[in-house]
Amino acid sequence: MDAPFLTTSLAVLTTLSLLALPLSAAAHDFLPLKSSLVVEEYETNILQSSDGTFSSGFYNIYTNAFTFSIWYSNSVDKAIVWSANRGRPVHSRRSAITLRKDGTMVLTDYDGTVVWQTDGKFPNVQYIQLLNTGNLVLKNSSGNVVWQSFDSPTDTLLPTQRIPATTKS
Ligand SMILES: *[C@@H]1O[C@H](CO)[C@@H](O)[C@H](O)[C@H]1NC(C)=O
């Protein structure tokens, strides 16, 4: 291997790693109040836990049908650990998950129908956050967790997750 080739390779590698930076920086672990994830951007518009282990967003379960889910980012089959609406998938157009001004997280279908939402009223909610444990939480302006996906279990139970003593049906 001669020196010019090596220099060129190094330059290419450096350029590639610089290009990769904005991409990884684009993944957030939180979604602020009054914002949404939309189904049309399901491949890029996702939440990722800060250590990268878990992702959350729209999951394409079959043709034109999506669930709002949490999955292991790096597993080959994107193994799902939680879904808001496993039994009621939404369409591939105009569906969205939104953290509304009143602090409710709402999943809407193409026609605006609310398919799923967080139960309960929580004052001063600020954002949704996907934690490194795979728990999706709503936090208020004091930084306290006021709602968590661990309290409404579906699919796989994660190692740190306990089934709540009272589960609403
Ligand atoms: C946030 O939630 C905690 C726990 O429920 C509560 O004690 C605190 O008062 C809340 N903060 C605000 C600003 O509502």
Side-chain angles (χ1 to χ4, degrees):
M1 200 182 293
D2 58 6
F5 176 78
L6 202 64
T7 312
T8 310
S9 304
L10 280 174
V12 168
L13 279 176
T14 309
T15 310
L16 282 177
S17 54
L18 285 177
L19 284 174
L21 271 178
L23 280 178
S24 53
H28 294 297
D29 68 344
F30 69 94
L31 185 72
L33 203 64
K34 294 189 274 182
S35 48
S36 303
L37 300 178
V38 296
V39 72
E40 286 88 349
E41 297 169 11
Y42 76 97
E43 284 172 305
T44 53
N45 199 357
I46 57 171
L47 302 182
Q48 200 163 64
S49 62
S50 61
D51 70 358
T53 304
F54 292 98
S55 298
S56 178
F58 283 99
Y59 184 94
N60 194 193
I61 48 163
Y62 47 86
T63 311
N64 294 329
F66 287 80
T67 52
F68 177 67
S69 301
I70 301 167
W71 61 88
Y72 279 102
S73 310
N74 296 321
S75 62
V76 179
D77 58 350
K78 295 212 278 184
I80 294 185
V81 296
W82 183 84
S83 290
N85 61 321
R86 192 155 70 136
R88 172 57 167 93
V90 292
H91 290 74
S92 53
R93 293 268 175 262
R94 295 199 299 280
S95 298
I97 188 94
T98 305
L99 182 56
R100 289 186 171 166
K101 195 172 61 179
D102 69 357
T104 316
M105 178 164 52
V106 175
L107 174 65
T108 47
D109 207 347
Y110 70 101
D111 59 355
T113 305
V114 173
V115 167
W116 174 91
Q117 66 178 64
T118 48
D119 52 347
K121 283 272 171 255
F122 312 109
N124 307 312
V125 167
Q126 291 287 289
Y127 56 93
I128 299 167
Q129 188 175 20
L130 181 59
L131 306 181
N132 289 334
T133 52
N135 197 8
L136 187 71
V137 302
L138 288 185
K139 285 187 177 174
N140 70 13
S141 51
S142 320
N144 290 97
V145 171
V146 293
W147 178 90
Q148 52 183 330
S149 62
F150 275 11
D151 280 346
S152 44
T154 61
D155 298 295
T156 315
L157 287 182
L158 293 171
T160 56
Q161 180 175 6
R162 288 157 192 264
I163 297 177
T166 53
T167 308
K168 288 185 196 134
S169 55

